[in-house]
């Protein structure tokens, strides 16, 4: 049975539009797979609930803006503790003292982006690599795999236009393809 692709998107307060662009990027991929996009609710979250959201994701996207803000710092720490696969991204530009200290303390191979479109393109390329997993974890057809290879080439060459308007699943969300929708609903009900 195909797996659901689960991602968590953490972003500092100044990068909400970039976070929303990730949902749009997922929706534009030329495949039909079940995807769950997770994030902390705007109203706050308990440690136990945050643990549950991050514990079993396939990828943890972290977008750092000018400053390290709550709850992004806590989400980062928890993703590290849970040994999640982290894709760290930072926007070009100056940072506050706390933002600089955060970068200094975590000298990783940060992906640098210039704007919302650039962030969406980086995430799109990464998502394609995840979906093209050698064991076909997400149940792609041969046609879908070929379409992903073409989409990856177009993204790499900047031939795919990305949306510049904010949008997406602001509170998280689930994208389900028609062939997996009934399975997901049945699994959700039985939990």
């Amino acid at each position: 049975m195909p797996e659901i692709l689960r991602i968590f998107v953490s972003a500092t307060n100044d990068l909400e539009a970039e976070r929303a662009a990730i949902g749009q990027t997922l929706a534009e991929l030329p495949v039909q797979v079940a995807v769950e996009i997770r994030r902390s609710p705007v109203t706050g979250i308990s440690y136990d609930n945050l643990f549950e959201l991050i514990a079993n994701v396939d990828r943890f996207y972290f977008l750092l803006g000018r400053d390290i803000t709550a709850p992004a710092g806590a989400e980062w720490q928890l993703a590290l503790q849970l040994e999640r696969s982290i894709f760290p991204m930072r926007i070009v530009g100056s940072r506050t003292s706390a933002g600089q200290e955060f970068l200094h303390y975590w000298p990783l191979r940060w992906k640098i982006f210039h704007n919302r479109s650039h962030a969406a393109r980086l995430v799109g390329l990464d998502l394609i690599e995840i979906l093209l997993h050698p064991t076909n974890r997400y149940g792609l057809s041969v046609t879908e795999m070929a379409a992903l290879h073409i989409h990856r080439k177009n993204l790499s060459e900047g031939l795919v236009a990305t949306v510049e308007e904010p949008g997406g699943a602001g509170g998280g969300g689930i994208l389900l393809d028609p062939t997996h929708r009934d399975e997901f609903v049945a699994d959700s009900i039985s939990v």
Side-chain angles (χ1 to χ4, degrees), residues 25-33 128 131 140-141 143-152 155:
T25 299
L26 268 165
E28 291 172 354
L29 291 176
V31 294
Q32 293 189 350
V33 295
I128 290 170
L131 289 169
L140 300 177
S141 69
T143 305
E144 288 175 317
M145 286 185 208
L148 277 179
H149 284 287
I150 292 167
H151 195 71
R152 177 176 56 196
L155 268 178

Side-chain angles (χ1 to χ4, degrees), residues 27-164:
E28 291 172 354
L29 291 176
V31 294
Q32 293 189 350
V33 295
V35 180
E36 188 175 343
I37 306 168
R38 299 175 178 185
R39 67 165 290 174
S40 292
V42 176
T43 57
I45 189 168
S46 71
Y47 177 83
D48 290 340
N49 289 342
L50 184 60
F51 183 95
E52 289 298 320
L53 286 176
I54 295 174
N56 68 343
V57 295
D58 298 300
R59 177 73 88 205
F60 180 90
Y61 291 99
F62 186 83
L63 287 74
L64 177 65
R66 291 196 66 230
D67 194 10
I68 185 68
T69 57
E75 294 165 349
W76 173 268
Q77 289 291 338
L78 192 52
L80 286 171
Q81 290 172 358
L82 294 171
E83 299 178 351
R84 298 296 78 207
S85 174
I86 300 173
F87 192 86
M89 301 170 62
R90 64 183 171 95
I91 196 162
V92 168
S94 62
R95 303 217 188 309
T96 64
S97 296
Q100 280 294 84
E101 184 64 26
F102 184 83
L103 280 176
H104 178 72
Y105 191 72
W106 298 107
L108 304 173
R109 296 185 66 155
W110 290 84
K111 298 287 186 184
I112 299 169
F113 64 96
H114 300 277
N115 54 38
R116 188 177 314 126
S117 293
H118 191 205
R121 187 171 56 233
L122 291 172
V123 171
L125 290 168
D126 183 63
L127 286 167
I128 290 170
E129 292 306 313
I130 292 170
L131 289 169
L132 290 173
H133 191 275
T135 61
N136 196 14
R137 294 173 54 188
Y138 306 103
L140 300 177
S141 69
V142 174
T143 305
E144 288 175 317
M145 286 185 208
L148 277 179
H149 284 287
I150 292 167
H151 195 71
R152 177 176 56 196
K153 182 179 184 293
N154 291 338
L155 268 178
S156 296
E157 296 173 359
L159 300 175
V160 175
T162 53
V163 177
E164 277 300 322

